[in-house]
């Protein structure tokens, strides 16, 4: 099923997700719904927090052909190296983009969709996306790295759009 994606400044986006203790059918259904939602929203990543499910589950596909789906359950970054700045967007902050500094290369440890543990070394867009999604699980949005003034401008713009949409 396609799930509703929460939009900033919805406070539920600030919830810290809980670890998954058993990759059961419910979690597998959530993973499937998150992939469907991510594709519908034309994203390359999605965190469970964004669909108001506060468990440590992330789905992603950064490939051109959108045929390299990845699942990260209870992910943690165990190594960060270098620094790189890139323009980020977010399905929960629609229509707003900003430069964000992230680690250039990372190692992430997680469980896959079958509940098996794996470790992945990533760089480039994959590393950026993983860091962006893991922030979501901690209730952190990319706009939190901007100045308070810029963040407030984005909040005002999205609140106005929400008001206009409600009237339409
Ligand atoms: O809101 C999300 O978590 C999805 C978000 C993840 C993301 C990936 C890479 C950089 C920033 C954020 C998106 O999918 S944004 C939309 C998108 O497809 C995209 C954004 C930037 C670069 C490449 C793709
Ligand atoms: Zn996002």
């Amino acid at each position: 099923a396609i799930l509703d994606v929460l939009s900033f400044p919805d406070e539920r986006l600030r919830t810290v997700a809980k670890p998954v203790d058993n990759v059961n059918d419910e979690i597998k259904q959530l993973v499937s719904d998150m992939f469907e939602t991510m594709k519908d929203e034309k994203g390359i990543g999605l965190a469970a927090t964004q669909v108001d499910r506060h468990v440590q589950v992330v789905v992603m596909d950064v490939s051109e052909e959108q045929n390299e789906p990845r699942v990260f359950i209870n992910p943690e970054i165990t190594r960060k190296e270098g620094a790189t700045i890139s323009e980020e967007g977010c399905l929960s902050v629609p229509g707003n983009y900003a430069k964000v500094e992230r680690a250039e290369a990372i190692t992430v440890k997680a469980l896959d969709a079958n509940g098996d543990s794996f470790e992945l070394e990533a760089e480039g867009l994959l590393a950026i996306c993983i860091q962006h999604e893991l922030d979501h699980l901690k209730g952190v949005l990319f706009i939190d790295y901007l100045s308070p003034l810029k963040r407030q401008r984005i909040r005002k713009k999205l609140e106005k759009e929400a008001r206009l949409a409600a009237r339409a």
Side-chain angles (χ1 to χ4, degrees), residues 44 60-64 70 72 77 79-88 100-108 120-133:
I44 58 174
M60 185 175 309
D61 188 337
V62 297
S63 67
E64 285 296 314
R70 296 171 187 275
F72 299 87
I77 293 177
R79 178 186 65 93
K80 282 186 168 185
E81 261 171 47
T84 177
I85 296 176
S86 66
E87 187 87 353
E88 297 196 9
V100 176
E101 180 178 305
R102 301 279 187 185
E104 206 283 324
I106 62 170
T107 301
V108 57
L120 173 74
E121 297 197 356
E123 51 190 37
L125 182 58
L126 180 57
I128 290 164
C129 188
I130 290 168
Q131 292 172 81
H132 178 107
E133 301 309 335

XYZ file of all heavy atoms in Angstrom, residues 44 60-64 70 72 77 79-88 100-108 120-133:
327
model
N 14.634 8.338 -3.674
C 15.624 7.257 -3.778
C 15.887 6.642 -2.410
O 16.674 5.720 -2.270
C 16.946 7.758 -4.417
C 17.548 8.917 -3.618
C 16.713 8.177 -5.859
C 18.909 9.335 -4.131
N 15.832 1.956 0.246
C 16.632 2.838 -0.614
C 16.864 2.155 -1.955
O 16.919 0.921 -2.035
C 17.961 3.027 0.114
C 18.946 3.949 -0.431
S 20.372 4.089 0.692
C 19.615 4.446 2.245
N 16.973 2.965 -3.007
C 17.464 2.471 -4.299
C 18.074 3.676 -5.015
O 17.346 4.506 -5.538
C 16.342 1.835 -5.138
C 16.922 1.155 -6.372
O 18.053 1.535 -6.793
O 16.251 0.259 -6.924
N 19.394 3.775 -4.991
C 20.063 4.949 -5.581
C 20.502 4.662 -7.022
O 21.127 5.498 -7.652
C 21.281 5.404 -4.733
C 20.840 5.840 -3.342
C 22.335 4.316 -4.664
N 20.141 3.460 -7.545
C 20.603 3.083 -8.901
C 19.807 3.856 -9.953
O 18.659 4.255 -9.724
C 20.404 1.573 -9.119
O 19.014 1.281 -9.159
N 20.456 4.074 -11.105
C 19.798 4.767 -12.224
C 18.536 4.001 -12.645
O 17.469 4.562 -12.820
C 20.766 4.819 -13.432
C 21.880 5.851 -13.265
C 21.346 7.268 -13.186
O 20.488 7.618 -14.017
O 21.753 7.993 -12.252
N 17.589 -1.627 -1.563
C 18.364 -1.968 -0.350
C 17.476 -1.726 0.859
O 16.717 -0.769 0.890
C 19.607 -1.069 -0.230
C 20.625 -1.241 -1.344
C 21.697 -0.162 -1.240
N 22.611 -0.193 -2.394
C 23.679 -0.988 -2.468
N 23.950 -1.832 -1.499
N 24.470 -0.953 -3.543
N 17.705 -1.477 5.174
C 18.579 -1.369 6.360
C 17.688 -1.397 7.588
O 16.840 -0.512 7.743
C 19.359 -0.046 6.344
C 20.289 0.129 5.154
C 19.801 0.665 3.961
C 21.620 -0.233 5.231
C 20.642 0.837 2.869
C 22.467 -0.066 4.141
C 21.983 0.470 2.955
N 26.118 3.564 11.767
C 27.333 3.902 11.024
C 28.512 3.625 11.951
O 28.582 4.141 13.057
C 27.293 5.373 10.566
C 26.178 5.562 9.527
C 28.642 5.797 10.004
C 25.984 6.971 9.044
N 31.871 3.737 10.763
C 33.087 4.441 10.275
C 32.636 5.608 9.405
O 31.707 5.444 8.615
C 33.951 3.486 9.435
C 35.204 4.104 8.840
C 35.925 3.116 7.906
N 35.110 2.816 6.738
C 35.214 3.498 5.583
N 36.090 4.481 5.456
N 34.441 3.185 4.550
N 33.309 6.765 9.611
C 33.028 7.931 8.758
C 34.373 8.479 8.314
O 35.286 8.608 9.139
C 32.319 9.034 9.564
C 30.847 8.807 9.812
C 30.257 10.036 10.490
C 28.740 9.966 10.487
N 28.123 11.180 11.028
N 34.509 8.787 7.019
C 35.774 9.373 6.567
C 35.512 10.517 5.615
O 34.579 10.463 4.810
C 36.605 8.300 5.847
C 37.681 7.674 6.737
C 38.320 6.471 6.069
O 38.671 6.618 4.885
O 38.401 5.411 6.711
N 36.337 11.531 5.693
C 36.274 12.656 4.760
C 35.008 13.473 4.933
O 34.228 13.248 5.852
N 34.842 14.399 3.991
C 33.672 15.281 4.035
C 33.327 15.678 2.610
O 34.219 15.824 1.767
C 33.985 16.529 4.853
N 32.015 15.809 2.356
C 31.582 16.208 1.015
C 30.285 16.995 1.148
O 29.486 16.729 2.053
C 31.367 14.964 0.108
O 30.874 15.404 -1.160
C 30.351 13.993 0.694
N 30.116 18.023 0.291
C 28.917 18.856 0.347
C 28.083 18.578 -0.895
O 28.618 18.505 -2.013
C 29.302 20.357 0.397
C 30.065 20.660 1.691
C 28.059 21.242 0.292
C 30.562 22.081 1.797
N 26.785 18.339 -0.710
C 25.945 18.135 -1.896
C 24.550 18.709 -1.653
O 24.161 18.955 -0.501
C 25.824 16.645 -2.232
O 25.118 15.976 -1.214
N 23.827 18.945 -2.732
C 22.479 19.505 -2.668
C 21.522 18.396 -2.261
O 21.490 17.333 -2.912
C 22.110 20.016 -4.079
C 20.827 20.778 -4.160
C 21.013 22.270 -3.859
O 22.120 22.659 -3.473
O 20.044 23.013 -4.008
N 20.819 18.561 -1.155
C 19.873 17.534 -0.728
C 18.423 18.014 -0.829
O 18.136 19.205 -0.718
C 20.162 17.099 0.712
C 21.523 16.462 0.864
C 21.697 15.686 2.150
O 20.719 15.482 2.886
O 22.844 15.283 2.435
N 24.271 20.369 2.005
C 24.523 19.742 3.314
C 25.875 19.034 3.258
O 26.212 18.410 2.250
C 23.415 18.723 3.662
C 23.717 18.007 4.973
C 22.051 19.408 3.739
N 26.665 19.169 4.343
C 27.947 18.463 4.419
C 27.728 17.098 5.060
O 27.030 16.996 6.065
C 28.959 19.271 5.245
C 30.309 18.562 5.345
C 31.346 19.367 6.130
O 31.579 20.535 5.760
O 31.887 18.819 7.100
N 28.274 16.067 4.425
C 28.172 14.711 4.972
C 29.567 14.060 4.912
O 30.443 14.562 4.209
C 27.217 13.856 4.121
C 25.801 14.397 4.010
C 24.954 14.066 5.180
N 23.542 14.467 4.960
C 22.612 14.371 5.892
N 22.942 13.954 7.091
N 21.368 14.730 5.656
N 29.745 12.933 5.587
C 30.981 12.162 5.458
C 31.029 11.603 4.031
O 29.999 11.237 3.463
C 30.994 11.014 6.459
N 32.236 11.574 3.442
C 32.392 11.142 2.046
C 32.274 9.631 1.931
O 31.663 9.087 1.020
C 33.759 11.620 1.539
C 33.833 11.827 0.038
C 33.942 10.526 -0.721
O 34.613 9.626 -0.203
O 33.327 10.398 -1.798
N 32.863 8.897 2.904
C 32.849 7.424 2.876
C 32.434 6.926 4.258
O 32.860 7.481 5.276
C 34.231 6.899 2.523
N 31.570 5.913 4.270
C 31.093 5.377 5.563
C 31.059 3.850 5.525
O 31.069 3.232 4.451
C 29.653 5.878 5.892
C 28.654 5.395 4.826
C 29.612 7.385 6.043
C 27.193 5.653 5.217
N 31.027 3.257 6.716
C 30.716 1.823 6.844
C 29.444 1.750 7.691
O 29.352 2.418 8.727
C 31.849 1.064 7.554
O 33.045 1.237 6.791
C 31.516 -0.422 7.662
N 28.460 1.019 7.191
C 27.193 0.884 7.927
C 26.945 -0.592 8.230
O 27.234 -1.471 7.409
C 26.017 1.498 7.130
C 25.874 0.876 5.767
C 24.712 1.415 7.907
N 28.315 -2.759 5.179
C 28.464 -2.200 3.824
C 29.374 -0.984 3.865
O 29.188 -0.121 4.726
C 27.080 -1.774 3.294
C 27.028 -1.026 1.964
C 27.299 -1.987 0.800
C 25.681 -0.353 1.778
N 30.354 -0.929 2.971
C 31.166 0.289 2.835
C 30.572 1.066 1.667
O 30.338 0.501 0.594
C 32.623 -0.090 2.560
C 33.229 -0.861 3.724
C 34.754 -0.888 3.688
O 35.324 -0.374 2.702
O 35.349 -1.418 4.636
N 30.298 2.354 1.908
C 29.633 3.145 0.864
C 30.319 4.498 0.695
O 30.942 5.010 1.623
C 28.163 3.360 1.235
N 30.196 5.041 -0.508
C 30.638 6.417 -0.753
C 29.711 7.014 -1.803
O 28.769 6.351 -2.239
C 32.102 6.459 -1.189
C 32.432 5.522 -2.318
C 33.952 5.424 -2.539
O 34.707 5.446 -1.553
O 34.337 5.320 -3.710
N 29.930 8.279 -2.152
C 29.100 8.914 -3.187
C 27.656 9.047 -2.718
O 27.391 9.148 -1.513
N 26.747 8.993 -3.682
C 25.318 9.242 -3.399
C 24.774 8.219 -2.398
O 23.978 8.566 -1.526
C 24.515 9.189 -4.709
C 23.020 9.465 -4.596
C 22.744 10.833 -3.973
C 22.376 9.384 -5.988
N 25.254 6.962 -2.479
C 24.769 5.931 -1.548
C 25.104 6.326 -0.109
O 24.256 6.254 0.786
C 25.396 4.574 -1.903
C 24.996 3.385 -1.018
C 23.490 3.174 -1.008
C 25.718 2.113 -1.501
N 26.337 6.795 0.114
C 26.744 7.197 1.472
C 25.921 8.397 1.941
O 25.489 8.452 3.102
C 28.231 7.535 1.483
N 25.673 9.336 1.031
C 24.894 10.535 1.391
C 23.472 10.128 1.774
O 22.942 10.546 2.809
C 24.884 11.535 0.214
C 26.279 12.154 0.047
C 23.831 12.627 0.422
C 26.491 12.847 -1.277
N 22.890 9.257 0.943
C 21.499 8.842 1.184
C 21.390 8.085 2.511
O 20.476 8.345 3.305
C 21.021 7.983 0.006
S 19.254 7.628 0.094
N 22.348 7.197 2.782
C 22.316 6.438 4.049
C 22.358 7.396 5.240
O 21.571 7.283 6.190
C 23.490 5.434 4.120
C 23.283 4.293 3.113
C 23.648 4.870 5.533
C 24.514 3.421 2.908
N 23.246 8.406 5.177
C 23.345 9.371 6.291
C 22.062 10.183 6.435
O 21.582 10.421 7.536
C 24.552 10.296 6.071
C 25.888 9.567 6.183
C 27.046 10.437 5.785
O 27.531 11.260 6.571
N 27.505 10.273 4.548
N 21.442 10.542 5.289
C 20.185 11.303 5.310
C 19.075 10.479 5.960
O 18.323 10.970 6.806
C 19.806 11.684 3.865
C 18.507 12.424 3.746
N 18.433 13.764 3.471
C 17.229 11.994 3.866
C 17.161 14.136 3.448
N 16.398 13.076 3.676
N 19.010 9.166 5.586
C 17.929 8.317 6.124
C 18.141 8.007 7.608
O 17.190 8.006 8.390
C 17.849 7.002 5.342
C 17.592 7.136 3.850
C 16.395 8.019 3.514
O 15.487 8.166 4.347
O 16.396 8.605 2.416
